[in-house]
Amino acid sequence: LPPRTSPRPRRSALVVASTSERLNVVLVGAECAPFSKTGGLGDVMASLPKALVRRGHRVMSVIPMYNHYDECGEPCARVSINVMGQAVDVDYFHVHRDGVDLVFVSHSCFYEVAGDIYQGGTMGVAWRGALLSQAGIEAVWHVPCGGVPFGDESLLYVANDWHTALLPVYLRAFYQEHMQLGYARSVLIVHNIAHQGRSAPDDVRRLGLPDHHTGAFYLDDPVGGPCMNIMKAGIEYATKVIAVSPSYAWEIQTDEGGWGLAPTLRNDPHKISGIVNGMDFNEWSPEHDTFLQSDGFQNYNTDLQGLWTGKQACKAALQRQLGLPEDPYACMIGFVGRLDEQKGIDLVLNSEEFLMNQHIQMVFLGTGRPDLQDKLYDMQQRNSDKVRAWIGFSNQTAHRITAASDIILMPSRYEPCGLNQLYAMHYGAVPVVHAVGGLRDTVRHFDGYNEGTGFTFERAEADKLQWSLGQALHCFHEHRDSFMQVALRGMHQDLGWDHAAYLYEQKLLEAKYAH
């Protein structure tokens, strides 16, 4: 297993730029909150650029225009690009927000998938990704951000996941081999290596690349068989590869966690690193959360008195809202996430007998596999005084469950980074997690004596979950002072984006000077 990283101490002042070098950073991604979001990628594209701006860098985010957003106004530029052998005209729209130059790429292919941005099969997504990647590369010349285009000095492109993993390849094949953007470098952030852009081997011909670049796409996977693999090529061509946590960077280099790409990553391990995502305090803060300002919920401070009074008030309000008995002594356990095997919900279902013999209440929020949804409903029917299952998603309810819960459960089989454990700790909910990926990096197991911030278990098995959760419940019921200190240590960590931005800055500087 990889070495654990220690929880970050809270920083009292805003991190400011400590480097004398001002970089021009262009992030390209298929989604960006609040305009489009299906997962953690949307949060990273929204928050990392702002944090890099606070460190003194000039930052552009290039994202698809899935709808016409009112603040965008009229297009500021148009460019014609060749996408897989087809001449395509795209419009650029520009908005300057929070110091970041948001550049929207407008084309009918994006409007057509507004309701499901990853629909259309591998080659459909690849075509849109190819368009977005090339538009992102070209944007530094065509979009007059503040009247002055970025240009190509100190230029770093940051691609995200396989959807834009063609960017490092196109940068070299279409530009640098033609004496353009010679000093630009590319970085690929891996949010989830399980999604790779696999297709039939012959589909590589459709990418429009010279023959000497097509070999990087070929993968002969012992499990999946021969295929074209866009993520593989992006990894090989990128100057640096950053996974969304140090432990995930280690896991994807193992045969068990690399989903066929571990040998590719191990070929050049020095260019692989991991950085834990941060959380956005403007949206997630128990002191200012607008979802806690009605229906009996309340905001609370991050000290002991604030945590105690706020948690009790929010717990009682959630119990009333969901029709659970108002029991201040019951340990409220929350689960917020997709209902599938990756998130470990089956481990929870298989632990029903153990759970229902404890003095607890459980609240689930999520959607996913129909059979798992049905099993959750059945569990609620059998235990109506202890269990509530909210099938679907509600941002308000997610915030309220986090504020009301004493424990947040995350038994994920794999978790590249994870954000819910960060939200939980900041709201004083103690995480019980499977020690993988970002969960291993951000939650330190409490053994009764150390400075732990939660409870962990090492294998994704129901009895291991029960062991860890049993420790947490014993601490909650029999040693409440210790439990509250665990919660407070979690609240007082530096979980924001400023520290993560500093680490990204170091990797971007390394990439700039790489050969």
Side-chain angles (χ1 to χ4, degrees), residues 73-144:
E74 298 297 321
C76 63
R78 169 172 285 198
V79 65
S80 180
I81 55 180
N82 186 300
V83 181
M84 298 188 184
Q86 177 182 349
V88 176
D89 291 330
V90 299
D91 290 323
Y92 292 108
F93 291 76
H94 173 249
V95 175
H96 190 73
R97 176 195 276 197
D98 298 318
V100 178
D101 289 298
L102 291 172
V103 175
F104 297 89
V105 178
S106 176
H107 185 269
S108 60
C109 69
F110 297 125
Y111 296 111
E112 291 167 359
V113 297
D116 180 5
I117 64 175
Y118 296 120
Q119 66 178 275
T122 296
M123 292 310 295
V125 178
W127 196 91
R128 297 192 297 272
L131 185 156
L132 182 64
S133 297
Q134 288 184 249
I137 294 172
E138 294 272 345
V140 297
W141 292 321
H142 301 287
V143 180

Side-chain angles (χ1 to χ4, degrees), residues 121 147 180 205 214 331 346 401 403 475 490 503:
Q180 293 179 304
R205 302 296 175 190
T214 59
C331 182
D346 57 304
I401 290 175
C475 188
L503 298 176

Side-chain angles (χ1 to χ4, degrees), residues 414-493:
Y414 68 91
E415 193 67 64
C417 179
L419 287 172
N420 284 342
Q421 82 277 15
L422 304 184
Y423 303 150
M425 289 189 287
H426 193 54
Y427 278 62
V430 173
V432 174
V433 306
H434 180 207
V436 291
L439 301 177
R440 168 176 286 272
D441 291 325
T442 55
V443 180
R444 185 180 182 189
H445 181 72
F446 178 60
D447 62 8
Y449 301 98
N450 65 0
E451 298 294 303
T453 57
F455 296 84
T456 68
F457 55 101
E458 294 293 338
R459 295 201 299 274
E461 299 169 3
D463 62 325
K464 302 303 180 186
L465 165 64
Q466 293 168 25
W467 172 83
S468 184
L469 185 55
Q471 287 192 316
L473 291 172
H474 178 76
C475 188
F476 175 85
H477 289 299
E478 304 298 332
H479 304 281
R480 181 63 68 89
D481 289 345
S482 293
F483 187 88
M484 296 297 286
Q485 290 303 314
V486 174
L488 285 170
R489 282 193 292 272
M491 296 182 88
H492 293 164
Q493 292 182 99

Side-chain angles (χ1 to χ4, degrees), residues 119-425:
Q119 66 178 275
T122 296
M123 292 310 295
V125 178
W127 196 91
R128 297 192 297 272
L131 185 156
L132 182 64
S133 297
Q134 288 184 249
I137 294 172
E138 294 272 345
V140 297
W141 292 321
H142 301 287
V143 180
C145 301
V148 182
F150 268 47
D152 55 10
E153 184 177 348
S154 295
L155 182 60
L156 280 301
Y157 288 102
V158 181
N160 289 270
D161 266 350
W162 82 267
H163 327 111
T164 52
L166 284 169
L167 190 153
V169 184
Y170 285 168
L171 177 63
R172 188 183 306 178
F174 294 158
Y175 297 89
Q176 293 176 337
E177 288 191 353
H178 298 276
M179 308 304 290
Q180 293 179 304
L181 299 172
Y183 293 102
R185 298 292 182 262
S186 62
V187 174
L188 175 63
I189 301 178
V190 178
H191 300 263
N192 190 339
I193 205 167
H195 304 291
Q196 301 175 356
R198 293 187 178 210
S199 189
D202 289 343
D203 282 339
V204 71
R205 302 296 175 190
R206 298 168 59 183
L207 301 181
L209 288 161
D211 288 344
H212 61 283
H213 290 290
T214 59
F217 291 84
Y218 182 75
L219 177 68
D220 189 1
D221 188 350
V223 177
C227 66
M228 178 196 78
N229 191 303
I230 292 175
M231 179 75 93
K232 176 178 178 289
I235 290 170
E236 291 191 11
Y237 275 71
T239 311
K240 293 287 182 182
V241 176
I242 301 175
V244 290
S245 68
S247 287
Y248 191 56
W250 177 85
E251 289 171 9
I252 62 179
Q253 295 179 72
T254 68
D255 292 335
E256 295 81 2
W259 293 80
L261 292 181
T264 303
L265 290 160
R266 291 197 297 261
N267 282 340
D268 192 357
H270 297 293
K271 81 175 186 180
I272 315 297
S273 61
I275 299 173
V276 173
N277 293 336
M279 56 177 289
D280 186 348
F281 293 124
N282 291 323
E283 181 180 358
W284 289 90
S285 169
E287 297 156 300
H288 308 292
D289 193 328
T290 58
F291 294 125
L292 305 182
Q293 295 174 2
S294 61
D295 301 325
F297 293 84
Q298 70 176 47
N299 296 117
Y300 53 94
N301 296 325
T302 57
D303 56 18
L304 179 58
Q305 181 178 357
L307 172 61
W308 178 261
T309 57
K311 186 69 69 175
Q312 291 301 312
C314 290
K315 181 192 290 190
L318 187 66
Q319 289 168 336
R320 290 191 298 270
Q321 180 180 342
L322 298 181
L324 287 166
E326 287 193 46
D327 183 355
Y329 302 106
C331 182
M332 177 73 76
I333 301 175
F335 177 98
V336 179
R338 290 195 315 277
L339 303 180
D340 60 26
E341 286 195 357
Q342 185 223 320
K343 296 299 183 182
I345 187 63
D346 57 304
L347 303 181
V348 182
L349 292 167
N350 292 337
S351 301
E352 179 180 351
E353 182 178 357
F354 165 81
L355 290 166
M356 294 304 103
N357 284 323
Q358 311 299 320
H359 189 187
I360 65 168
Q361 294 175 341
M362 295 198 72
V363 179
F364 298 88
L365 174 66
T367 185
R369 278 176 36 187
D371 61 321
L372 295 174
Q373 293 178 177
D374 291 342
K375 288 179 180 179
L376 265 186
Y377 272 137
D378 292 342
M379 183 177 174
Q380 174 180 296
Q381 289 295 108
R382 288 189 295 270
N383 308 280
S384 59
D385 60 332
K386 287 190 172 185
V387 178
R388 289 294 181 272
W390 184 308
I391 305 302
F393 185 75
S394 160
N395 195 29
Q396 179 189 74
T397 305
H399 281 245
R400 289 180 169 183
I401 290 175
T402 305
S405 294
D406 300 297
I407 290 173
I408 288 290
L409 203 53
M410 293 186 68
S412 305
R413 283 183 166 79
Y414 68 91
E415 193 67 64
C417 179
L419 287 172
N420 284 342
Q421 82 277 15
L422 304 184
Y423 303 150
M425 289 189 287

